[in-house]
Amino acid sequence: MSNSLAGFNRRPRAEAEAELLACCASRAFAAAVAARRPYAARERLAEAAETAVRELTWPDVLEALAAHPRIGERPSGDGRESRWSRQEQAGAHADAPEAEELRAELAAGNRAYEQRFGYVYLVCAAGLSGAELLARLRARLDNDEETERGVVRDELVKITRLRLGKLMEGEGR
């Protein structure tokens, strides 16, 4: 099956939605983006995806968050989403001597975040070191609920755009 935009536009709706769930694991997201096909350009697809993420109800955002592993934990499974998560979180899995201490601090930060907000800490980890991920986590612990929900949506948009690019390039098939 073609990974091009034209191929994506031609897929049966259920197949397009299944592909989109690898980018953002909200069924409402996948349905909204698939329903707006055809897209004339990849940027139009990316814009539609951003709009769909921003329009999700909070329960739909939580559905998407449930598919994300904790920062610093290796995702289980061999599916496309797990492979992409491992690539995105590469900075959190360095083999430096201080890496074990960093992983322990990330685990403690994840627990504190989940106790504070009630959901997994989400950050677009691509290109960030473990220390940068930890610093962002700690800074976000000071956010109020409304501010943090906005940050979560922004991070979900970044991750979704990144993964849409991978989907269109055929990575992880």
Side-chain angles (χ1 to χ4, degrees), residues 122-125 136 140 150-160:
L122 185 76
V123 63
C124 184
R136 289 183 184 199
R140 286 174 51 190
V151 173
V152 166
R153 280 186 194 275
D154 290 345
E155 295 298 316
L156 189 56
V157 164
K158 290 177 198 174
I159 293 166
T160 301

Side-chain angles (χ1 to χ4, degrees), residues 99-114:
E100 192 59 41
E101 181 180 336
L102 179 63
R103 279 191 286 278
E105 290 181 50
L106 281 168
N110 282 327
R111 284 190 301 275
Y113 183 95
E114 289 175 26

Side-chain angles (χ1 to χ4, degrees), residues 4-159:
S4 69
L5 181 62
F8 175 75
N9 284 333
R10 285 192 304 269
R11 283 192 183 99
R13 186 173 178 153
E15 287 179 30
E17 288 181 14
E19 292 282 305
L20 289 164
L21 286 171
C23 302
C24 177
S26 161
R27 291 169 296 184
F29 164 83
V33 176
R36 293 178 182 145
R37 293 177 305 151
Y39 295 99
R42 287 183 181 188
E43 189 54 33
R44 300 293 84 77
L45 171 59
E47 290 166 358
E50 178 171 349
T51 297
V53 169
R54 297 208 182 276
E55 292 175 349
L56 291 175
T57 65
W58 190 247
D60 292 328
V61 171
L62 293 175
E63 178 186 27
L65 293 179
H68 286 271
R70 289 178 181 90
I71 292 295
E73 292 184 6
R74 295 197 186 269
S76 60
D78 60 357
R80 175 182 21 232
E81 305 91 294
S82 293
R83 287 192 302 276
W84 288 348
S85 286
R86 280 191 288 278
Q87 291 169 357
E88 293 159 5
Q89 288 196 39
H93 301 290
D95 291 326
E98 64 277 358
E100 192 59 41
E101 181 180 336
L102 179 63
R103 279 191 286 278
E105 290 181 50
L106 281 168
N110 282 327
R111 284 190 301 275
Y113 183 95
E114 289 175 26
Q115 287 174 348
R116 168 114 169 75
F117 295 109
Y119 45 85
V120 68
Y121 165 63
L122 185 76
V123 63
C124 184
L128 299 177
S129 70
E132 290 169 317
L133 293 168
L134 181 59
R136 289 183 184 199
L137 188 158
R138 287 177 173 161
R140 286 174 51 190
L141 283 169
D142 292 333
N143 287 344
D144 61 57
E145 182 70 27
E146 182 180 345
T147 300
E148 187 55 23
R149 284 185 178 198
V151 173
V152 166
R153 280 186 194 275
D154 290 345
E155 295 298 316
L156 189 56
V157 164
K158 290 177 198 174
I159 293 166

